[in-house]
Amino acid sequence: VKKIGYQAFKNCDVESVTIPNSVMSIGDYAFSGCGLKSIIIPESVISIGNYAFSSCYYLNLSIPNSVTTIGGHAFEHCDMESVVIPNAVTEVGAYAFEYCGELTTVTIGNGLKNIDNTMFRYCQKLTRIICLIDVPLDLDADPFEYCDTIYVPYKNVEAYKSAPIWKRKEILPFCK
């Protein structure tokens, strides 16, 4: 199995899944609306489709370092407390983490090329953003509406403090 296809397990009553190492992509709506609480995604997966895990309310997962794209609405209405967007991820679709009501901490890897202003929409508990991107991205609007403090690499604090949108936040150095 190389791909978990479109709507493969949509609305199934499944609480736990281990995806085989042969799978390279998780298709659109693959697990949408499941009772999924935990999933093990192997390092072979490079893409997560649109709405792939939307409305998996109690989902607990780790996005593997191999993932390069995360589709729009992929984790919408999931109540994970924290998420790490790996360094390999270059693209995250609109509304990817919208309505993640329990999300408090996000780490954004250094590979992301754009942060859509809707990515964390209505994540009201999101209070800790660690952004590992070296050069502040040019943002059209504030994607972190409920978060006032952003942690960035120490050497890039001044660049973030002077960048549009970013400078509206308290920018603090992130030390490993």
Side-chain angles (χ1 to χ4, degrees):
V1 176
K2 299 257 187 229
K3 177 179 183 176
I4 299 195
Y6 176 76
Q7 297 186 359
F9 299 98
K10 184 177 180 186
N11 296 324
C12 287
D13 190 17
V14 177
E15 285 192 10
S16 180
V17 170
T18 299
I19 296 176
N21 289 331
S22 59
V23 173
M24 297 177 66
S25 67
I26 299 171
D28 296 348
Y29 297 92
F31 294 96
S32 179
C34 288
L36 201 56
K37 292 181 181 175
S38 70
I39 186 166
I40 297 173
I41 303 173
E43 289 291 331
S44 59
V45 173
I46 58 173
S47 68
I48 297 173
N50 298 321
Y51 297 92
F53 298 98
S54 68
S55 299
C56 290
Y57 297 104
Y58 305 105
L59 183 62
N60 182 14
L61 68 78
S62 178
I63 300 169
N65 293 326
S66 56
V67 171
T68 60
T69 59
I70 297 172
H73 302 268
F75 299 101
E76 151 187 275
H77 289 286
C78 293
D79 281 340
M80 69 267 278
E81 291 180 15
S82 67
V83 69
V84 175
I85 299 171
N87 291 335
V89 174
T90 58
E91 181 182 343
V92 176
Y95 305 98
F97 298 94
E98 182 182 40
Y99 291 110
C100 290
E102 298 303 314
L103 191 59
T104 61
T105 304
V106 171
T107 301
I108 299 171
N110 62 18
L112 207 54
K113 304 296 183 212
N114 181 40
I115 298 175
D116 185 274
N117 67 321
T118 63
M119 191 184 319
F120 301 104
R121 194 169 183 192
Y122 305 121
C123 295
Q124 296 177 352
K125 292 184 180 180
L126 184 56
T127 57
R128 183 172 172 84
I129 304 287
I130 300 167
C131 184
L132 302 177
I133 301 169
D134 284 332
V135 178
L137 298 174
D138 187 21
L139 303 175
D140 294 333
D142 186 357
F144 315 113
E145 61 187 318
Y146 298 102
C147 187
D148 294 327
T149 305
I150 311 288
Y151 296 87
V152 301
Y154 181 81
K155 64 183 178 181
N156 304 93
V157 169
E158 293 308 314
Y160 275 86
K161 284 183 175 181
S162 62
I165 304 295
W166 296 98
K167 66 183 177 183
R168 297 179 192 168
K169 306 291 187 181
E170 180 180 17
I171 302 295
L172 296 175
F174 168 72
C175 300
K176 290 184 179 179

